[in-house]
Amino acid sequence: LENLEIAESSTIFDREWNELYKIFKEKRTYINFWSINPNMINAIIAWEDKTFFENPWVDIKWIMRAIFNKLSWKTPKFEWTSTISQQLIKNTILTNEVSYERKIKEIYLSYKMNKWLSKEKILELYLNKISFWSNAFGIEQAAQTFFWKTASDIWVLESSILASLPKWP
């Protein structure tokens, strides 16, 4: 993951540096953690994983609740939730397959990743990898697509709107 190659857009300019074309498989501009507005960091943590900086790699309360609900017949199947670390693993290494085996792999790989990557690096990779719809992959491209500004310039309301987009079905 540390050397993960995330596809970016190629931009073709004219001789006066006016953008002519963008060529992409996934429309993305990669940026580092320190270039992302703190409002966006706070918004994505609030939406996706409120205990991100406190949990080691997995939220034990979520797992215990899923097991309890299943064993007490409150739900017909396990209703899993994932931390940001687990979502990053699922989106980069694993598939979206719904199985116990994949969930166990996700938890284990999330544990390994949190051992050698900082929380800031995990957030950086996550915010540059996820889709924000409208063919905008990564936070920089999402900020440009929806608000015509960079990820470092978005306001609190704009950050909240962008943070809500990955959860859409």
Side-chain angles (χ1 to χ4, degrees):
L1 278 175
E2 191 171 302
N3 299 319
L4 180 67
E5 289 189 24
I6 297 178
E8 289 188 67
S9 304
S10 296
T11 307
I12 299 172
F13 298 96
D14 66 12
R15 63 179 162 203
E16 294 172 0
W17 292 101
N18 297 314
E19 183 179 314
L20 295 175
Y21 302 103
K22 268 200 189 281
I23 303 168
F24 52 87
K25 179 179 176 186
E26 293 179 345
K27 194 173 184 182
R28 174 183 291 115
T29 305
Y30 192 96
I31 59 170
N32 68 35
F33 178 80
W34 306 109
S35 298
I36 302 169
N37 191 305
N39 293 323
M40 185 63 210
I41 303 290
N42 294 333
I44 202 73
I45 288 172
W47 271 96
E48 297 288 343
D49 184 2
K50 291 173 186 61
T51 63
F52 177 71
F53 284 108
E54 290 82 44
N55 69 47
W57 74 90
V58 67
D59 193 325
I60 301 298
K61 286 190 287 186
W62 288 349
I63 292 175
M64 297 308 289
R65 183 175 41 213
I67 292 170
F68 175 77
N69 286 342
K70 172 67 173 140
L71 295 177
S72 65
W73 297 97
K74 285 187 175 185
T75 58
K77 59 182 182 174
F78 279 107
E79 292 182 351
W80 297 109
T81 55
S82 298
T83 63
I84 287 175
S85 299
Q86 289 173 269
Q87 291 176 49
L88 177 61
I89 291 293
K90 182 181 75 172
N91 291 329
T92 55
I93 297 173
L94 302 175
T95 64
N96 285 330
E97 168 198 8
V98 178
S99 71
Y100 299 120
E101 183 181 339
R102 194 223 26 139
K103 195 64 173 178
I104 290 167
K105 286 179 185 176
E106 180 183 296
I107 291 170
Y108 175 71
L109 291 171
S110 174
Y111 163 75
K112 296 291 275 183
M113 178 181 64
N114 274 272
K115 282 246 186 235
W116 52 270
L117 283 181
S118 69
K119 291 288 189 174
E120 289 80 10
K121 185 66 176 177
I122 291 169
L123 264 175
E124 175 185 320
L125 290 169
Y126 179 74
L127 284 170
N128 278 292
K129 177 67 179 163
I130 60 175
S131 169
F132 288 89
W133 303 96
S134 286
N135 204 19
F137 291 85
I139 188 59
E140 180 69 14
Q141 195 60 53
Q144 290 176 12
T145 299
F146 296 107
F147 300 112
W148 307 281
K149 34 173 99 166
T150 65
S152 61
D153 294 332
I154 54 178
W155 300 342
V156 174
L157 178 60
E158 295 162 339
S159 297
S160 299
I161 292 168
L162 290 176
S164 71
L165 296 179
K167 280 212 172 195
W168 284 8

